[in-house]
């Protein structure tokens, strides 16, 4: 057998590791899945009804290329203009579109450390230079440092992943004023937080906001995201997205979800309540837990013989998946735990107690 022409692959691709998503066990496997920040509750009935209504012979037709019905529903839901909204195949697609619209080879993309671990591989794919600034004290945004770096695109996750903290909005506004860079506020978790950046949009034309349907809107399996930005920027971004980047079924579900956001309010309230409970329970068990504004908590393991990988493996052996980040040594003693149902969190705490007893 002759070997494939791997030397034809772009050197940047050969050199990169690629993004590692959280483990997705096969359907039907019995695990308590607290590792990828999905919503533990099913989508509301009105979303299923919309999907069912879209399931007919029209599937042979391409979807509306620019997702206009979704943009109009987003305009109704958020009080913005429909042409100031772009729809993505997940908010990860929005991130790719931003990279392709604003980043030339060699341009600097700037993010905070730690934040969403997909930003670096996306920058590398685009040929950009990825730089990180550490968060300031108590999760403050290092405005001076960020503004001084001459970046093309600055990525701020708010609430942040994996820490869960929400950096003050005034600092985001200050940064937008101090830089000519595009400032992305990645608001995948905004529905679980006390506030969000949408009110800043009209005052800062370089501000772009992304949202996801995967967490608060229970639709990670359909792949849907939104982007809010100045209409002139959105017009440029339309040029680089895939022609039909959001399929018919996803568009139908998105419209139903956006037109009935009230259906999700009790689910979000339950998750916020369980977040408070889990934070308290883990602190009782000597974990150091950061106050979270998202649908997960970031917890430093308690002192003892068992290290971070030991906790992750121990929980997994007992049927509980949590997320662990091994690319940054500083994150090794930390677990990111998705807020599940009350029953799932009971199970988690039971297994935590078992492992702690086992540790002595
Ligand atoms: C989950 C997540 C996304 C991606 O969401 P999708 O809509 O599922 O692509 C983007 N940014 C952050 C910070 C996330 O945690």
């Amino acid at each position: 057998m002759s070997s494939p022409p791997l030397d034809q692959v772009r050197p940047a691709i050969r050199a990169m590791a690629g993004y590692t998503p959280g483990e997705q066990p096969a359907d039907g496997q019995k695990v308590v899945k607290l590792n990828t920040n999905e919503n533990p509750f099913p989508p509301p009935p009105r979303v299923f009804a919309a999907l069912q209504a879209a399931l007919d012979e029209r599937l042979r037709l391409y979807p509306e290329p620019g997702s206009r019905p979704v943009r109009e529903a987003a305009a109704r839901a958020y009080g913005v203009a429909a042409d100031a909204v772009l729809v993505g195949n997940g908010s990860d697609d929005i991130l790719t579109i931003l990279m392709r619209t604003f980043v030339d080879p060699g341009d600097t993309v700037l993010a905070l450390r730690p934040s969403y671990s997909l930003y670096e591989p996306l920058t590398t794919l685009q040929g950009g230079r990825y730089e990180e600034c550490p968060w300031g004290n108590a999760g403050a945004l290092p405005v001076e440092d960020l503004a001084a770096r001459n970046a093309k695109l600055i990525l701020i996750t708010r609430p942040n992943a994996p820490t869960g903290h929400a950096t003050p909005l005034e600092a985001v506004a200050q940064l937008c004023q101090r830089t000519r860079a595009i400032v992305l506020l990645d608001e995948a978790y905004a529905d679980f937080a006390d506030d969000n950046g949408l009110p800043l949009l009209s005052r800062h034309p370089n501000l772009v906001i992304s949202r996801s349907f995967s967490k608060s809107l229970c639709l990670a399996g359909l792949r849907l995201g939104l982007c809010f930005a100045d209409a002139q920027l959105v017009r440029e971004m339309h040029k680089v997205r895939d022609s039909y980047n959001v399929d018919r079924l996803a568009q139908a579900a998105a419209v139903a979800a956006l037109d009935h956001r009230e259906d999700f309010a009790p689910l979000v309230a339950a998750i916020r309540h369980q977040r408070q409970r889990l934070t308290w329970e883990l602190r009782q068990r000597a974990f150091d837990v950061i106050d979270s504004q998202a649908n997960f908590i970031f917890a430093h393991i308690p002192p003892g013989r068992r290290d971070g990988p030991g906790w992750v493996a121990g929980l997994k052996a007992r049927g509980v998946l949590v997320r662990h980040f091994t690319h940054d040594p500083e994150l090794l003693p930390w677990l990111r735990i998705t807020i599940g149902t009350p029953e799932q969190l009971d199970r988690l705490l039971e297994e935590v107690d078992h492992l702690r007893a086992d540790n002595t």
Side-chain angles (χ1 to χ4, degrees), residues 36-37 89-93 95 116 118-119 157-161 186-189 210-215 220 223-225 296 336:
T36 52
N37 297 346
N89 183 33
S91 75
D92 287 348
D93 183 36
L95 293 171
Y116 188 30
L118 181 66
Y119 299 149
T157 323
R158 185 184 190 277
N160 188 46
D186 182 338
E187 292 198 333
Y189 301 102
S210 64
R211 294 281 179 94
S212 171
F213 286 62
S214 299
K215 283 88 186 215
R223 314 303 304 127
L224 279 160
F296 57 84
R336 195 197 66 188

Side-chain angles (χ1 to χ4, degrees), residues 60-73:
R60 70 192 168 76
L61 300 172
Y62 283 110
E64 213 290 320
S67 305
R68 189 163 26 80
V70 184
R71 285 188 284 120
E72 286 168 357

Side-chain angles (χ1 to χ4, degrees), residues 128-144:
R129 274 164 30 88
Y130 185 74
E131 284 185 25
E132 286 180 329
C133 282
W135 289 102
N137 277 341
L141 196 67
V143 175
E144 302 300 325

